[in-house]
Amino acid sequence: MGDMEKFLFKFKGYYFNRSPLDISFVENLDNFEIRENDVFIVTYPKSGTIWCQQLLSLIYSEEHRTGTGKLETMDRVPFFEYKNPEMDFGERPSPRLFSTHLPYYLVPSGLKSKTSKIIYVYRNPKDVLCSYFHFAKNVTSHFTGTFEEFMKQFLGGRVMGSLWFDHIKGWYEHRSLFNIQFMMYEEIKKDLRGSVSKICKFLGKELSEVDMDAIVRKATFENMKYDPLANYDNIIATGYGPNAKGHFLRKGTIGDWKNHLTVEQNERFDKIFQREMKDFPLEFIWDMNED
């Protein structure tokens, strides 16, 4: 596992990031009290998490849409398993908004009541791999090896979030247990307004055209990257040390994998994907020009 090993914590077969983790909280996740109007964003790492946190913030908060509020996205839609020690989830007003990378079997059992809602956002795994490599190497500095070495760890599930294939298949195959909406990252990218409408319909939120315009404008990748309330950049130095560099939001493009994978690596990846995802019904977009 190399230099990443010391940054990971394995619990019930799943790899967490060790440093911000409250292990006692994780050990009691199943008993966390879910409210009927809680909303969870579920993603595998580097699959549009921050983007979706911003979308939920804009959908639910008028002051975030109008720019009058100064609360950061990470405080409006906090990470569930990596909670801030100073944040008491029990005292948060409803509806509570959360984001998580957890697999289906580690989320609180209360989510199976189907009254609360889950939005699962997935991204084509080649772009996930490339984004994750840059994040681990340049932002967190948890990885110092080559792209080929990281690809092997990613395909072996030896990264925070564990194996991508297990994550998406686990959630999809157990979807009947939850009130869940699957969204494709690339579809959100191609049709932001249509995707926001779809999310609002699932959440039961009715917004005016003016509000929709504000959400679409503020939720573009370009605007988010330079919005200090949305881009997470201010926690890079505090969270990962003074040597950390780069940005949480790097490119956000579709098909960046073509700039990273060699022909041999791509063929190897395709072979594994076809084996692991045989008969899997969700669609994937690998290139910006695909329909």
Side-chain angles (χ1 to χ4, degrees), residues 7 17-21 72 74 82 84 135 138-142 232-245 248:
F7 299 106
N17 186 4
R18 182 185 295 271
S19 58
L21 196 65
E72 295 186 19
M74 71 183 78
Y82 299 112
N84 184 328
F135 182 74
N138 298 323
V139 178
T140 68
S141 302
H142 287 177
Y232 270 48
D233 278 0
N234 65 343
I235 71 167
I236 290 179
T238 57
Y240 299 107
N243 294 325
K245 53 188 181 295
F248 266 84

Side-chain angles (χ1 to χ4, degrees), residues 2-59:
D3 56 356
M4 289 185 70
E5 184 175 22
K6 61 180 178 289
F7 299 106
L8 299 175
F9 174 76
K10 193 173 187 179
F11 178 72
K12 294 186 177 180
Y14 177 81
Y15 282 115
F16 291 86
N17 186 4
R18 182 185 295 271
S19 58
L21 196 65
D22 180 346
I23 295 175
S24 63
F25 179 72
V26 167
E27 290 175 339
N28 291 283
L29 285 176
D30 191 57
N31 299 319
F32 181 83
E33 187 174 347
I34 294 293
R35 298 177 191 165
E36 63 178 18
N37 55 3
D38 284 345
V39 179
F40 279 74
I41 297 167
V42 178
T43 58
Y44 184 85
K46 310 313 296 176
S47 300
T49 315
I50 298 174
W51 195 9
C52 292
Q53 286 174 306
Q54 171 77 334
L55 284 174
L56 274 197
S57 296
L58 291 166
I59 289 170

Side-chain angles (χ1 to χ4, degrees), residues 110-126:
L111 278 173
K112 296 177 184 178
S113 67
K114 297 188 179 181
T115 54
S116 50
K117 296 181 179 181
I118 298 171
I119 300 171
Y120 186 100
V121 181
Y122 68 97
R123 184 183 189 184
N124 90 66
K126 291 180 185 178

Side-chain angles (χ1 to χ4, degrees), residues 53-284:
Q53 286 174 306
Q54 171 77 334
L55 284 174
L56 274 197
S57 296
L58 291 166
I59 289 170
Y60 278 92
S61 173
E62 181 179 358
E63 66 173 20
H64 198 52
R65 290 194 296 272
T66 58
T68 57
K70 299 303 179 184
L71 196 62
E72 295 186 19
T73 302
M74 71 183 78
D75 293 319
R76 294 187 188 277
V77 192
F79 261 101
F80 183 62
E81 63 269 37
Y82 299 112
K83 68 184 294 291
N84 184 328
E86 298 177 1
M87 186 178 292
D88 186 340
F89 288 164
E91 293 183 353
R92 293 182 71 84
S94 295
R96 296 181 302 185
L97 312 174
F98 298 107
S99 60
T100 182
H101 295 319
L102 288 172
Y104 78 94
Y105 63 87
L106 286 181
V107 297
S109 58
L111 278 173
K112 296 177 184 178
S113 67
K114 297 188 179 181
T115 54
S116 50
K117 296 181 179 181
I118 298 171
I119 300 171
Y120 186 100
V121 181
Y122 68 97
R123 184 183 189 184
N124 90 66
K126 291 180 185 178
D127 280 337
V128 171
L129 162 65
C130 297
S131 179
Y132 210 155
F133 169 70
H134 283 281
F135 182 74
K137 192 174 182 69
N138 298 323
V139 178
T140 68
S141 302
H142 287 177
F143 183 77
T144 58
T146 64
F147 180 80
E148 169 65 20
E149 291 168 338
F150 187 82
M151 180 173 167
K152 289 179 179 177
Q153 290 196 197
F154 178 82
L155 291 173
R158 302 190 306 276
V159 293
M160 181 189 75
S162 294
L163 187 62
W164 179 89
F165 300 103
D166 288 347
H167 197 277
I168 187 170
K169 288 193 296 184
W171 273 104
Y172 189 80
E173 290 168 359
H174 294 85
R175 65 192 182 281
S176 63
L177 300 176
F178 307 96
N179 184 6
I180 188 168
Q181 172 74 55
F182 287 84
M183 300 288 297
M184 187 196 308
Y185 174 96
E186 291 81 5
E187 195 61 41
I188 301 173
K189 183 78 176 178
K190 284 172 168 285
D191 182 12
L192 181 55
R193 192 181 192 90
S195 297
V196 172
S197 295
K198 186 175 180 180
I199 291 171
C200 285
K201 183 177 180 180
F202 174 67
L203 296 174
K205 296 286 290 183
E206 294 186 11
L207 297 176
S208 68
E209 288 300 309
V210 173
D211 288 337
M212 287 292 291
D213 290 341
I215 292 172
V216 171
R217 182 177 64 255
K218 287 179 172 289
T220 62
F221 186 89
E222 292 73 20
N223 283 342
M224 280 185 60
K225 188 168 184 176
Y226 300 102
D227 181 354
L229 297 180
N231 62 22
Y232 270 48
D233 278 0
N234 65 343
I235 71 167
I236 290 179
T238 57
Y240 299 107
N243 294 325
K245 53 188 181 295
H247 303 277
F248 266 84
L249 302 176
R250 190 177 62 91
K251 284 187 175 181
T253 56
I254 302 172
D256 191 42
W257 61 269
K258 295 179 179 180
N259 300 317
H260 293 79
L261 274 71
T262 65
V263 173
E264 186 278 328
Q265 288 170 337
N266 187 49
E267 290 176 349
R268 192 189 337 149
F269 198 109
D270 283 345
K271 186 176 181 179
I272 295 171
F273 182 88
Q274 290 160 11
R275 182 190 71 215
E276 294 287 337
M277 305 297 285
K278 183 180 179 181
D279 300 324
F280 189 73
L282 292 182
E283 297 179 354
F284 291 87

